[in-house]
Short mmCIF file of all heavy atoms in Angstrom, two decimals:
data_model
loop_
_atom_site.label_atom_id
_atom_site.label_comp_id
_atom_site.label_asym_id
_atom_site.label_seq_id
_atom_site.Cartn_x
_atom_site.Cartn_y
_atom_site.Cartn_z
N MET A 2 -8.10 9.87 0.37
CA MET A 2 -7.67 8.92 -0.65
C MET A 2 -8.55 9.04 -1.90
O MET A 2 -8.05 8.99 -2.99
CB MET A 2 -7.74 7.48 -0.11
CG MET A 2 -6.81 7.19 1.03
SD MET A 2 -5.18 7.21 0.38
CE MET A 2 -4.30 7.92 1.68
N ARG A 3 -9.83 9.10 -1.68
CA ARG A 3 -10.77 9.12 -2.81
C ARG A 3 -10.48 10.35 -3.68
O ARG A 3 -10.52 10.25 -4.90
CB ARG A 3 -12.20 9.14 -2.30
CG ARG A 3 -13.19 8.88 -3.38
CD ARG A 3 -14.62 8.78 -2.85
NE ARG A 3 -14.69 8.09 -1.56
CZ ARG A 3 -15.57 8.38 -0.63
NH1 ARG A 3 -16.44 9.38 -0.80
NH2 ARG A 3 -15.55 7.74 0.51
N VAL A 4 -10.17 11.47 -3.09
CA VAL A 4 -9.95 12.69 -3.85
C VAL A 4 -8.72 12.52 -4.72
O VAL A 4 -8.71 12.90 -5.88
CB VAL A 4 -9.77 13.89 -2.88
CG1 VAL A 4 -9.33 15.17 -3.64
CG2 VAL A 4 -11.06 14.19 -2.13
N ALA A 5 -7.66 11.96 -4.17
CA ALA A 5 -6.42 11.75 -4.91
C ALA A 5 -6.63 10.78 -6.04
O ALA A 5 -6.11 10.95 -7.16
CB ALA A 5 -5.32 11.30 -4.00
N ARG A 6 -7.37 9.69 -5.79
CA ARG A 6 -7.58 8.72 -6.84
C ARG A 6 -8.50 9.18 -7.95
O ARG A 6 -8.33 8.84 -9.14
CB ARG A 6 -8.17 7.43 -6.24
CG ARG A 6 -7.23 6.64 -5.42
CD ARG A 6 -7.90 5.39 -4.92
NE ARG A 6 -6.98 4.64 -4.08
CZ ARG A 6 -7.37 3.85 -3.11
NH1 ARG A 6 -8.61 3.67 -2.86
NH2 ARG A 6 -6.49 3.19 -2.44
N ASN A 7 -9.50 9.98 -7.60
CA ASN A 7 -10.49 10.44 -8.59
C ASN A 7 -10.27 11.86 -9.06
O ASN A 7 -11.19 12.50 -9.49
CB ASN A 7 -11.89 10.29 -8.00
CG ASN A 7 -12.24 8.91 -7.62
OD1 ASN A 7 -11.77 7.94 -8.21
ND2 ASN A 7 -13.06 8.70 -6.63
N ARG A 8 -9.02 12.31 -9.00
CA ARG A 8 -8.72 13.66 -9.42
C ARG A 8 -8.94 13.82 -10.93
O ARG A 8 -8.76 12.86 -11.67
CB ARG A 8 -7.35 14.11 -8.98
CG ARG A 8 -6.22 13.28 -9.65
CD ARG A 8 -4.90 13.62 -9.01
NE ARG A 8 -3.82 12.98 -9.68
CZ ARG A 8 -3.39 11.76 -9.48
NH1 ARG A 8 -3.99 11.01 -8.59
NH2 ARG A 8 -2.40 11.24 -10.14
N GLU A 9 -9.23 15.02 -11.34
CA GLU A 9 -9.42 15.30 -12.78
C GLU A 9 -8.10 15.27 -13.52
O GLU A 9 -7.04 15.42 -12.93
CB GLU A 9 -10.10 16.66 -12.94
CG GLU A 9 -11.46 16.75 -12.37
CD GLU A 9 -12.10 18.12 -12.51
OE1 GLU A 9 -11.53 18.94 -13.28
OE2 GLU A 9 -13.13 18.40 -11.90
N ALA A 10 -8.21 15.08 -14.79
CA ALA A 10 -7.02 15.09 -15.67
C ALA A 10 -6.29 16.45 -15.52
O ALA A 10 -6.93 17.51 -15.49
CB ALA A 10 -7.38 14.89 -17.11
N GLY A 11 -5.03 16.39 -15.35
CA GLY A 11 -4.23 17.59 -15.22
C GLY A 11 -3.98 18.01 -13.78
O GLY A 11 -3.15 18.90 -13.53
N VAL A 12 -4.67 17.40 -12.85
CA VAL A 12 -4.46 17.74 -11.43
C VAL A 12 -3.41 16.77 -10.87
O VAL A 12 -3.60 15.55 -10.98
CB VAL A 12 -5.78 17.63 -10.59
CG1 VAL A 12 -5.52 17.86 -9.12
CG2 VAL A 12 -6.81 18.57 -11.15
N THR A 13 -2.34 17.32 -10.36
CA THR A 13 -1.26 16.44 -9.90
C THR A 13 -1.46 16.04 -8.43
O THR A 13 -2.22 16.69 -7.69
CB THR A 13 0.10 17.18 -10.03
OG1 THR A 13 0.10 18.30 -9.15
CG2 THR A 13 0.36 17.59 -11.43
N LEU A 14 -0.74 15.05 -8.02
CA LEU A 14 -0.76 14.65 -6.60
C LEU A 14 -0.22 15.76 -5.72
O LEU A 14 -0.65 15.94 -4.58
CB LEU A 14 0.05 13.36 -6.40
CG LEU A 14 -0.60 12.05 -6.73
CD1 LEU A 14 0.34 10.89 -6.52
CD2 LEU A 14 -1.89 11.83 -5.97
N GLU A 15 0.75 16.50 -6.26
CA GLU A 15 1.30 17.61 -5.50
C GLU A 15 0.22 18.67 -5.18
O GLU A 15 0.17 19.23 -4.10
CB GLU A 15 2.47 18.28 -6.29
CG GLU A 15 3.73 17.45 -6.30
CD GLU A 15 3.67 16.33 -7.34
OE1 GLU A 15 2.76 16.30 -8.19
OE2 GLU A 15 4.59 15.45 -7.27
N GLN A 16 -0.66 18.94 -6.16
CA GLN A 16 -1.75 19.91 -5.97
C GLN A 16 -2.76 19.39 -4.93
O GLN A 16 -3.20 20.11 -4.05
CB GLN A 16 -2.43 20.21 -7.25
CG GLN A 16 -1.57 20.99 -8.26
CD GLN A 16 -2.21 21.03 -9.64
OE1 GLN A 16 -2.86 20.08 -10.08
NE2 GLN A 16 -1.94 22.12 -10.32
N VAL A 17 -3.08 18.09 -5.00
CA VAL A 17 -4.01 17.49 -4.03
C VAL A 17 -3.37 17.54 -2.64
O VAL A 17 -4.07 17.91 -1.64
CB VAL A 17 -4.36 16.03 -4.44
CG1 VAL A 17 -5.21 15.37 -3.36
CG2 VAL A 17 -5.09 16.02 -5.77
N ALA A 18 -2.12 17.23 -2.53
CA ALA A 18 -1.41 17.22 -1.25
C ALA A 18 -1.41 18.63 -0.64
O ALA A 18 -1.67 18.83 0.52
CB ALA A 18 -0.01 16.72 -1.40
N ALA A 19 -1.16 19.63 -1.49
CA ALA A 19 -1.14 21.01 -1.02
C ALA A 19 -2.51 21.44 -0.56
O ALA A 19 -2.64 22.14 0.48
CB ALA A 19 -0.68 21.91 -2.16
N ASP A 20 -3.55 21.00 -1.22
CA ASP A 20 -4.91 21.33 -0.79
C ASP A 20 -5.25 20.79 0.60
O ASP A 20 -6.02 21.41 1.35
CB ASP A 20 -5.95 20.77 -1.80
CG ASP A 20 -5.96 21.50 -3.13
OD1 ASP A 20 -5.38 22.63 -3.19
OD2 ASP A 20 -6.54 20.98 -4.07
N PHE A 21 -4.65 19.65 0.93
CA PHE A 21 -4.92 19.05 2.25
C PHE A 21 -3.83 19.37 3.26
O PHE A 21 -3.90 18.96 4.42
CB PHE A 21 -5.05 17.54 2.12
CG PHE A 21 -6.38 17.16 1.48
CD1 PHE A 21 -6.47 16.81 0.19
CD2 PHE A 21 -7.50 17.14 2.28
CE1 PHE A 21 -7.70 16.46 -0.40
CE2 PHE A 21 -8.74 16.79 1.74
CZ PHE A 21 -8.83 16.46 0.39
N GLY A 22 -2.79 20.10 2.81
CA GLY A 22 -1.75 20.50 3.74
C GLY A 22 -0.82 19.40 4.17
O GLY A 22 -0.31 19.42 5.28
N VAL A 23 -0.59 18.43 3.29
CA VAL A 23 0.34 17.32 3.56
C VAL A 23 1.44 17.30 2.54
O VAL A 23 1.29 17.91 1.44
CB VAL A 23 -0.38 15.94 3.62
CG1 VAL A 23 -1.43 15.91 4.73
CG2 VAL A 23 -0.97 15.62 2.27
N HIS A 24 2.50 16.65 2.82
CA HIS A 24 3.63 16.55 1.89
C HIS A 24 3.24 15.56 0.79
O HIS A 24 2.62 14.53 1.07
CB HIS A 24 4.90 16.09 2.62
CG HIS A 24 6.12 16.31 1.81
ND1 HIS A 24 6.56 15.41 0.88
CD2 HIS A 24 7.02 17.29 1.84
CE1 HIS A 24 7.66 15.83 0.32
NE2 HIS A 24 7.95 17.00 0.88
N PRO A 25 3.61 15.83 -0.47
CA PRO A 25 3.30 14.94 -1.56
C PRO A 25 3.81 13.50 -1.35
O PRO A 25 3.13 12.55 -1.74
CB PRO A 25 3.94 15.58 -2.79
CG PRO A 25 4.07 17.01 -2.44
CD PRO A 25 4.23 17.09 -0.93
N ALA A 26 4.96 13.36 -0.70
CA ALA A 26 5.51 12.04 -0.49
C ALA A 26 4.63 11.28 0.49
O ALA A 26 4.41 10.04 0.37
CB ALA A 26 6.93 12.14 0.07
N SER A 27 4.06 11.97 1.46
CA SER A 27 3.15 11.29 2.41
C SER A 27 1.89 10.80 1.70
O SER A 27 1.45 9.65 1.90
CB SER A 27 2.70 12.26 3.53
OG SER A 27 3.83 12.63 4.28
N LEU A 28 1.33 11.63 0.82
CA LEU A 28 0.17 11.24 0.08
C LEU A 28 0.49 10.01 -0.80
O LEU A 28 -0.31 9.06 -0.88
CB LEU A 28 -0.39 12.38 -0.74
CG LEU A 28 -1.64 12.10 -1.56
CD1 LEU A 28 -2.81 11.66 -0.69
CD2 LEU A 28 -2.01 13.36 -2.37
N THR A 29 1.61 10.03 -1.43
CA THR A 29 2.04 8.90 -2.30
C THR A 29 2.13 7.63 -1.47
O THR A 29 1.70 6.58 -1.87
CB THR A 29 3.33 9.24 -3.02
OG1 THR A 29 3.17 10.43 -3.75
CG2 THR A 29 3.77 8.11 -3.94
N LYS A 30 2.80 7.71 -0.29
CA LYS A 30 2.91 6.56 0.56
C LYS A 30 1.58 6.02 1.00
O LYS A 30 1.34 4.83 1.05
CB LYS A 30 3.82 6.88 1.76
CG LYS A 30 5.28 6.98 1.40
CD LYS A 30 6.15 7.56 2.54
CE LYS A 30 6.02 6.72 3.79
NZ LYS A 30 6.95 7.25 4.84
N TRP A 31 0.66 6.93 1.36
CA TRP A 31 -0.68 6.53 1.78
C TRP A 31 -1.40 5.77 0.68
O TRP A 31 -2.11 4.82 0.91
CB TRP A 31 -1.49 7.71 2.32
CG TRP A 31 -0.91 8.35 3.52
CD1 TRP A 31 -0.03 7.80 4.42
CD2 TRP A 31 -1.11 9.71 3.96
NE1 TRP A 31 0.26 8.72 5.38
CE2 TRP A 31 -0.38 9.91 5.10
CE3 TRP A 31 -1.85 10.76 3.42
CZ2 TRP A 31 -0.37 11.12 5.78
CZ3 TRP A 31 -1.84 11.95 4.07
CH2 TRP A 31 -1.11 12.12 5.28
N LEU A 32 -1.31 6.33 -0.54
CA LEU A 32 -1.99 5.68 -1.66
C LEU A 32 -1.40 4.31 -1.94
O LEU A 32 -2.11 3.34 -2.18
CB LEU A 32 -1.88 6.56 -2.92
CG LEU A 32 -2.66 7.81 -2.95
CD1 LEU A 32 -2.23 8.72 -4.11
CD2 LEU A 32 -4.15 7.49 -3.05
N ARG A 33 -0.07 4.18 -1.90
CA ARG A 33 0.60 2.93 -2.10
C ARG A 33 0.19 1.89 -1.04
O ARG A 33 -0.09 0.73 -1.32
CB ARG A 33 2.11 3.12 -2.11
CG ARG A 33 2.85 2.12 -2.95
CD ARG A 33 4.32 2.42 -3.15
NE ARG A 33 4.97 3.09 -2.02
CZ ARG A 33 5.66 4.23 -2.18
NH1 ARG A 33 5.84 4.77 -3.34
NH2 ARG A 33 6.20 4.81 -1.12
N HIS A 34 0.11 2.37 0.23
CA HIS A 34 -0.29 1.49 1.35
C HIS A 34 -1.73 1.02 1.15
O HIS A 34 -2.07 -0.14 1.34
CB HIS A 34 -0.14 2.20 2.62
CG HIS A 34 -0.63 1.41 3.82
ND1 HIS A 34 0.08 0.34 4.33
CD2 HIS A 34 -1.72 1.52 4.57
CE1 HIS A 34 -0.57 -0.17 5.34
NE2 HIS A 34 -1.70 0.54 5.50
N ALA A 35 -2.60 1.93 0.74
CA ALA A 35 -4.02 1.58 0.54
C ALA A 35 -4.17 0.56 -0.57
O ALA A 35 -4.97 -0.40 -0.46
CB ALA A 35 -4.84 2.83 0.23
N GLU A 36 -3.40 0.67 -1.64
CA GLU A 36 -3.44 -0.29 -2.73
C GLU A 36 -2.96 -1.67 -2.23
O GLU A 36 -3.53 -2.68 -2.56
CB GLU A 36 -2.58 0.16 -3.86
CG GLU A 36 -3.11 1.33 -4.64
CD GLU A 36 -2.21 1.84 -5.74
OE1 GLU A 36 -1.18 1.17 -6.02
OE2 GLU A 36 -2.48 2.91 -6.28
N THR A 37 -1.90 -1.68 -1.42
CA THR A 37 -1.41 -2.93 -0.89
C THR A 37 -2.43 -3.61 0.01
O THR A 37 -2.68 -4.78 -0.10
CB THR A 37 -0.11 -2.68 -0.08
OG1 THR A 37 0.84 -2.09 -0.94
CG2 THR A 37 0.46 -4.00 0.43
N VAL A 38 -3.05 -2.84 0.90
CA VAL A 38 -4.05 -3.38 1.82
C VAL A 38 -5.25 -3.92 1.03
O VAL A 38 -5.74 -5.01 1.31
CB VAL A 38 -4.48 -2.30 2.82
CG1 VAL A 38 -5.67 -2.76 3.65
CG2 VAL A 38 -3.32 -2.00 3.76
N ASN A 39 -5.69 -3.17 0.04
CA ASN A 39 -6.84 -3.56 -0.73
C ASN A 39 -6.53 -4.81 -1.61
O ASN A 39 -7.39 -5.66 -1.74
CB ASN A 39 -7.33 -2.46 -1.64
CG ASN A 39 -7.99 -1.33 -0.82
OD1 ASN A 39 -8.44 -1.56 0.26
ND2 ASN A 39 -7.99 -0.17 -1.42
N SER A 40 -5.35 -4.91 -2.13
CA SER A 40 -5.02 -6.08 -2.97
C SER A 40 -4.86 -7.33 -2.13
O SER A 40 -5.21 -8.40 -2.58
CB SER A 40 -3.76 -5.80 -3.80
OG SER A 40 -2.61 -5.75 -2.95
N THR A 41 -4.32 -7.22 -0.91
CA THR A 41 -4.19 -8.41 -0.09
C THR A 41 -5.55 -8.82 0.52
O THR A 41 -5.76 -9.99 0.79
CB THR A 41 -3.18 -8.20 1.04
OG1 THR A 41 -3.57 -7.08 1.84
CG2 THR A 41 -1.78 -8.03 0.53
N ALA A 42 -6.43 -7.90 0.67
CA ALA A 42 -7.73 -8.21 1.22
C ALA A 42 -8.61 -8.99 0.23
O ALA A 42 -9.41 -9.83 0.60
CB ALA A 42 -8.47 -6.93 1.66
N THR A 43 -8.37 -8.73 -1.08
CA THR A 43 -9.18 -9.41 -2.08
C THR A 43 -8.52 -10.65 -2.64
O THR A 43 -9.13 -11.42 -3.36
CB THR A 43 -9.48 -8.42 -3.24
OG1 THR A 43 -8.22 -7.98 -3.81
CG2 THR A 43 -10.31 -7.26 -2.79
N ARG A 44 -7.25 -10.85 -2.30
CA ARG A 44 -6.54 -12.04 -2.78
C ARG A 44 -6.93 -13.25 -1.92
O ARG A 44 -6.94 -13.16 -0.68
CB ARG A 44 -5.04 -11.79 -2.66
CG ARG A 44 -4.22 -12.81 -3.40
CD ARG A 44 -2.70 -12.59 -3.32
NE ARG A 44 -2.40 -11.20 -3.29
CZ ARG A 44 -1.30 -10.72 -2.69
NH1 ARG A 44 -0.46 -11.52 -2.12
NH2 ARG A 44 -1.06 -9.42 -2.69
N PRO A 45 -7.21 -14.38 -2.52
CA PRO A 45 -7.56 -15.53 -1.73
C PRO A 45 -6.35 -16.02 -0.93
O PRO A 45 -5.23 -15.94 -1.39
CB PRO A 45 -8.00 -16.59 -2.76
CG PRO A 45 -7.42 -16.16 -4.04
CD PRO A 45 -7.26 -14.64 -3.97
N ALA A 46 -6.60 -16.59 0.23
CA ALA A 46 -5.52 -17.09 1.05
C ALA A 46 -4.96 -18.36 0.45
O ALA A 46 -5.69 -19.14 -0.15
CB ALA A 46 -6.07 -17.39 2.48
N ALA A 47 -3.67 -18.55 0.63
CA ALA A 47 -3.02 -19.75 0.09
C ALA A 47 -3.43 -20.97 0.91
O ALA A 47 -3.56 -20.88 2.12
CB ALA A 47 -1.52 -19.56 0.13
N ALA A 48 -3.54 -22.08 0.28
CA ALA A 48 -3.84 -23.32 0.98
C ALA A 48 -2.62 -23.71 1.76
O ALA A 48 -1.49 -23.40 1.41
CB ALA A 48 -4.20 -24.39 -0.04
N PRO A 49 -2.81 -24.42 2.91
CA PRO A 49 -1.64 -24.76 3.76
C PRO A 49 -0.57 -25.54 2.99
O PRO A 49 0.59 -25.31 3.24
CB PRO A 49 -2.26 -25.67 4.83
CG PRO A 49 -3.68 -25.25 4.87
CD PRO A 49 -4.07 -24.81 3.48
N ALA A 50 -0.92 -26.38 2.03
CA ALA A 50 0.05 -27.17 1.29
C ALA A 50 0.90 -26.20 0.41
O ALA A 50 2.08 -26.45 0.17
CB ALA A 50 -0.59 -28.21 0.43
N GLU A 51 0.29 -25.16 -0.09
CA GLU A 51 1.01 -24.21 -0.97
C GLU A 51 1.97 -23.35 -0.17
O GLU A 51 3.02 -23.00 -0.65
CB GLU A 51 0.03 -23.32 -1.72
CG GLU A 51 -0.85 -24.04 -2.68
CD GLU A 51 -1.89 -23.12 -3.30
OE1 GLU A 51 -2.09 -22.03 -2.76
OE2 GLU A 51 -2.46 -23.47 -4.32
N SER A 52 1.56 -22.98 1.03
CA SER A 52 2.39 -22.07 1.81
C SER A 52 3.49 -22.75 2.65
O SER A 52 4.39 -22.10 3.07
CB SER A 52 1.50 -21.19 2.70
OG SER A 52 0.84 -22.02 3.60
N ALA A 53 3.34 -24.03 2.87
CA ALA A 53 4.33 -24.73 3.71
C ALA A 53 5.59 -24.96 2.91
O ALA A 53 5.57 -25.31 1.72
CB ALA A 53 3.75 -26.05 4.20
N GLU A 54 6.69 -24.89 3.58
CA GLU A 54 8.00 -25.18 2.94
C GLU A 54 8.27 -26.64 3.01
O GLU A 54 7.88 -27.32 3.98
CB GLU A 54 9.11 -24.40 3.66
CG GLU A 54 9.02 -22.90 3.57
CD GLU A 54 10.16 -22.23 4.24
OE1 GLU A 54 11.18 -22.93 4.55
OE2 GLU A 54 10.11 -21.04 4.45
N PRO A 55 8.92 -27.20 1.98
CA PRO A 55 9.29 -28.58 2.06
C PRO A 55 10.23 -28.81 3.21
O PRO A 55 11.14 -28.05 3.44
CB PRO A 55 9.96 -28.86 0.70
CG PRO A 55 10.04 -27.56 -0.01
CD PRO A 55 9.33 -26.55 0.79
N GLY A 56 10.01 -29.89 3.91
CA GLY A 56 10.85 -30.18 5.08
C GLY A 56 10.45 -29.50 6.33
O GLY A 56 11.17 -29.59 7.33
N GLY A 57 9.34 -28.83 6.36
CA GLY A 57 8.84 -28.16 7.55
C GLY A 57 9.27 -26.73 7.66
O GLY A 57 10.03 -26.22 6.81
N PRO A 58 8.78 -26.04 8.69
CA PRO A 58 9.13 -24.62 8.80
C PRO A 58 10.60 -24.41 9.20
O PRO A 58 11.22 -25.28 9.81
CB PRO A 58 8.21 -24.16 9.96
CG PRO A 58 7.86 -25.38 10.71
CD PRO A 58 7.87 -26.51 9.67
N ARG A 59 11.11 -23.30 8.75
CA ARG A 59 12.49 -22.98 9.01
C ARG A 59 12.64 -22.24 10.35
O ARG A 59 11.80 -21.38 10.64
CB ARG A 59 13.03 -22.07 7.91
CG ARG A 59 14.36 -22.49 7.39
CD ARG A 59 14.90 -21.61 6.33
NE ARG A 59 13.87 -20.98 5.52
CZ ARG A 59 14.11 -20.05 4.63
NH1 ARG A 59 15.34 -19.66 4.45
NH2 ARG A 59 13.17 -19.55 3.90
N SER A 60 13.62 -22.52 11.11
CA SER A 60 13.88 -21.87 12.35
C SER A 60 15.02 -20.88 12.15
O SER A 60 16.09 -21.28 11.74
CB SER A 60 14.23 -22.84 13.46
OG SER A 60 14.54 -22.13 14.65
N VAL A 61 14.77 -19.59 12.42
CA VAL A 61 15.79 -18.59 12.26
C VAL A 61 16.12 -18.07 13.59
O VAL A 61 15.27 -17.55 14.33
CB VAL A 61 15.31 -17.44 11.36
CG1 VAL A 61 16.36 -16.40 11.20
CG2 VAL A 61 14.89 -17.97 10.00
N PRO A 62 17.39 -18.18 14.05
CA PRO A 62 17.74 -17.69 15.38
C PRO A 62 17.65 -16.19 15.44
O PRO A 62 17.97 -15.49 14.48
CB PRO A 62 19.16 -18.17 15.59
CG PRO A 62 19.70 -18.47 14.21
CD PRO A 62 18.48 -18.77 13.36
N ARG A 63 17.15 -15.68 16.59
CA ARG A 63 17.09 -14.25 16.75
C ARG A 63 18.33 -13.75 17.50
O ARG A 63 18.91 -14.49 18.32
CB ARG A 63 15.87 -13.87 17.60
CG ARG A 63 14.60 -14.10 16.88
CD ARG A 63 13.43 -13.55 17.61
NE ARG A 63 12.26 -13.58 16.78
CZ ARG A 63 11.19 -12.98 17.05
NH1 ARG A 63 11.10 -12.21 18.13
NH2 ARG A 63 10.16 -13.03 16.26
N ARG A 64 18.69 -12.55 17.21
CA ARG A 64 19.88 -11.94 17.89
C ARG A 64 19.43 -10.96 18.91
O ARG A 64 18.51 -10.34 18.88
CB ARG A 64 20.76 -11.26 16.86
CG ARG A 64 21.35 -12.26 15.95
CD ARG A 64 22.28 -11.56 15.03
NE ARG A 64 22.85 -12.50 14.10
CZ ARG A 64 23.98 -12.37 13.50
NH1 ARG A 64 24.70 -11.29 13.71
NH2 ARG A 64 24.40 -13.27 12.66
#
């Protein structure tokens, strides 16, 4: 991940993926996933009053 994020100007993700022997789409998905995980880890948790729905939790039947 670090190599792909800190690549020099002009070096594409396709080149980095080829260097590691992975498909460029896989590398892109891994980078996107890492950004999602990092952003949710640093985001403060919502207070219970903010996350609760008015009228209580909704029940969704499973099929």
Side-chain angles (χ1 to χ4, degrees):
M2 294 292 144
R3 193 176 321 148
V4 172
R6 287 183 182 152
N7 298 332
R8 65 189 186 276
E9 295 180 12
V12 177
T13 65
L14 280 178
E15 287 79 10
Q16 292 169 327
V17 174
D20 288 344
F21 286 100
V23 298
H24 195 276
S27 296
L28 181 58
T29 302
K30 285 171 57 175
W31 296 338
L32 288 169
R33 209 173 30 233
H34 176 74
E36 289 175 9
T37 302
V38 170
N39 290 337
S40 69
T41 57
T43 57
R44 191 179 328 151
E51 294 174 345
S52 61
E54 293 182 15
R59 226 181 329 172
S60 175
V61 179
R63 290 189 171 194
R64 293 185 181 204

